[in-house]
Amino acid sequence: MSTQIRHDWKKEEIQAIYDQPLLELVYNAATVHREFHKPSEIQVSTLLSIKTGGCPEDCSYCGQAARYHTDIKVQALLPTEKVLEHAQKAKEGGSSRFCMAAAWREVRDNKDFDRVIEMVKGVNDIGLEVCCTLGMLTEEQAVRLQEAGLYAYNHNLDTSESYYDEIISTRKFDQRLDTINNVRKAGITVCSGGIIGLGESDGDRISMLLTLATMPVHPESVPVNALARVKGTPLENNPKVPLWDMVRMIATARIVMPASIVRLSAGRIEMTEEEQAWCFMAGANSIFTGERETLLVTPNPGLSEDMQMFQNLGLKPLVKENKSACSVV
């Protein structure tokens, strides 16, 4: 019996999946995963901060917020040539997607955005899927990015709608949904997930998955992040996210969004190889890696370490043909 892709999930249904005995949950998720994906293939994505720090937002988890006293240095928008050098190295290292992140609240129609458009064109010419995360977007800005060759846009929900105001006061939950809708209208694929370990309840985690799983089209990529506890931010003393919480989130996301890429994102630096293997078994089939061993501004395993892990676990990077921005992951 084949698994149907549904968009009419109820919160109680997702809660029941999440609450299954752990080994049963992982088995069920792994079964769905094998129906829709090759379990030995992991999409390797590289994330580069093209503009760092100085953000006016007050996201409680983020070391790039200007109002928090962290060790993160503000960096202006990188030169296009430097970004393309990083993209070329990423491709040579096995990445099939290159993501560019700017610490902006929203995109403004100025020379910096013009430069980002040139970066998108350049990375697309290299033959990588191009992804950006630049903050809030208008529909017109999304169209410009799509015309430049943007494949995916990342805009995480972060947490549930009901818990959102506990984490961020400078932006509303609906504004995140508006940006995702603008991206969809422009024909760009969506990368959207969230963070666990913010102090949210299990119910908040389920609600966040419900929002994603009941979208008319599921996000093609769903990052599951464990809170990176950045010194100087309000959440720096939150406890480390337990492995089994990550496994439950990944497995549940895999079951309710079977065709999506589920990305094991922030938090890998605190995981052993064995713990990451559990996440892959539960349905994760993408990671971020990078030459500088950072994920934006927090530590992340390096490329050589990841390739050794792949060898140990019998995994290999997903190799994909470059596709147009309106294709499905």
Side-chain angles (χ1 to χ4, degrees):
M1 182 176 176
S2 61
T3 300
Q4 299 298 313
I5 296 178
R6 294 176 50 191
H7 304 270
D8 60 348
W9 291 97
K10 306 299 182 187
K11 185 174 181 179
E12 296 75 17
E13 293 177 295
I14 300 178
Q15 185 77 60
I17 293 169
Y18 183 89
D19 287 340
Q20 289 180 87
L22 184 70
L23 295 184
E24 188 72 11
L25 173 60
V26 172
Y27 174 80
N28 290 335
T31 302
V32 172
H33 184 65
R34 281 155 174 75
E35 186 179 344
F36 287 84
H37 307 272
K38 294 180 180 178
S40 63
E41 294 186 345
I42 304 293
Q43 184 186 49
V44 179
S45 301
T46 296
L47 177 62
L48 177 68
S49 179
I50 59 173
K51 185 272 177 185
T52 305
C55 182
E57 300 262 45
D58 68 350
C59 307
S60 300
Y61 54 81
C62 185
Q64 300 197 67
R67 68 192 66 202
Y68 305 138
H69 300 289
T70 67
D71 295 329
I72 294 165
K73 295 179 180 179
V74 175
Q75 169 195 280
L77 191 65
L78 290 175
T80 302
E81 298 75 19
K82 179 65 70 174
V83 172
L84 298 184
E85 287 176 13
H86 283 291
Q88 186 61 47
K89 289 181 180 178
K91 182 179 182 181
E92 293 168 358
S95 289
S96 60
R97 177 176 289 194
F98 188 76
C99 303
M100 296 178 285
W104 293 331
R105 180 177 188 270
E106 59 199 345
V107 172
R108 299 186 184 278
D109 295 309
N110 56 22
K111 291 182 179 179
D112 279 351
F113 187 41
D114 293 340
R115 288 173 58 194
V116 171
I117 293 294
E118 292 305 312
M119 293 175 191
V120 170
K121 291 178 179 177
V123 175
N124 194 48
D125 287 343
I126 289 172
L128 290 166
E129 290 181 357
V130 196
C131 178
C132 282
T133 178
L134 313 169
M136 292 185 287
L137 278 183
T138 65
E139 189 174 347
E140 293 74 18
Q141 290 163 343
V143 168
R144 281 194 68 191
L145 288 165
Q146 191 274 339
E147 290 174 345
L150 190 71
Y151 180 82
Y153 196 81
N154 168 258
H155 204 64
N156 289 332
L157 299 181
D158 288 346
T159 189
S160 70
E161 183 174 9
S162 62
Y163 193 66
Y164 190 81
D165 290 345
E166 299 294 320
I167 301 301
I168 306 162
S169 71
T170 52
R171 190 191 309 194
K172 297 299 182 184
F173 189 81
D174 283 348
Q175 290 178 297
R176 292 196 177 269
L177 297 179
D178 289 343
T179 291
I180 291 172
N181 289 334
N182 290 337
V183 166
R184 277 277 177 233
K185 290 176 186 176
I188 300 169
T189 66
V190 171
C191 175
S192 187
I195 308 168
I196 64 173
L198 303 174
E200 76 287 345
S201 66
D202 282 353
D204 289 315
R205 296 174 183 180
I206 301 309
S207 293
M208 182 184 71
L209 290 176
L210 177 67
T211 299
L212 296 168
T214 53
M215 288 179 175
V217 179
H218 293 159
E220 285 79 5
S221 297
V222 180
V224 179
N225 297 276
L227 173 67
R229 296 161 293 167
V230 179
K231 187 176 181 181
T233 63
L235 302 184
E236 65 172 303
N237 294 318
N238 278 28
K240 179 180 179 292
V241 173
L243 168 67
W244 304 127
D245 286 19
M246 284 292 285
V247 170
R248 282 193 183 279
M249 278 296 287
I250 287 167
T252 305
R254 169 53 64 220
I255 290 170
V256 299
M257 293 173 279
S260 299
I261 295 284
V262 177
R263 182 172 297 122
L264 175 58
S265 297
R268 285 203 304 124
I269 193 67
E270 295 191 81
M271 291 184 178
T272 64
E273 192 172 286
E274 293 83 359
E275 289 174 329
Q276 292 180 70
W278 269 101
C279 294
F280 297 136
M281 180 64 72
N285 59 339
S286 179
I287 61 169
F288 277 123
T289 193
E291 60 185 275
R292 298 196 296 187
E293 301 187 359
T294 58
L295 186 61
L296 291 183
V297 294
T298 56
N300 193 62
L303 179 60
S304 60
E305 187 178 344
D306 285 332
M307 291 304 105
Q308 182 61 55
M309 175 178 68
F310 279 16
Q311 183 176 338
N312 294 343
L313 298 179
L315 302 173
K316 59 186 178 182
L318 173 65
V319 178
K320 302 171 70 176
E321 294 180 4
N322 194 35
K323 301 178 182 180
S324 64
C326 59
S327 301
V328 176
V329 170

